[in-house]
Amino acid sequence: MRSLLSATVALFLVSTSITFAADHQVQMLNKGAKGAMVFEPDFIQVEVGDTVTFIPTDKSHDA
């Protein structure tokens, strides 16, 4: 009974952490507010499970 309860609690914690994951988008720019060849935003704070997507906004950014 105790192992079933532990498994249920673990499954709940894993499923809720995935549910609250955020997707952060960072634009890759040739010219931005802070100069040439920059990322905007230039700083983000992420949590475990979050996703960071780099978006090549200008043609010269192809990485």
Side-chain angles (χ1 to χ4, degrees), residues 26-29 55-59 61:
V26 178
Q27 293 183 347
M28 302 161 58
L29 303 171
I55 302 170
T57 305
D58 297 316
K59 287 186 177 186
H61 284 282

Side-chain angles (χ1 to χ4, degrees), residues 12-61:
F12 174 75
L13 291 175
V14 168
S15 66
T16 56
S17 67
I18 293 171
T19 303
F20 296 115
D23 179 30
H24 303 276
Q25 295 186 351
V26 178
Q27 293 183 347
M28 302 161 58
L29 303 171
N30 286 345
K31 184 176 181 184
K34 294 188 176 184
M37 305 304 280
V38 295
F39 297 104
E40 285 189 3
D42 59 350
F43 178 82
I44 57 174
Q45 186 170 351
V46 299
E47 300 293 330
V48 173
D50 288 356
T51 303
V52 179
T53 305
F54 289 88
I55 302 170
T57 305
D58 297 316
K59 287 186 177 186
S60 64
H61 284 282

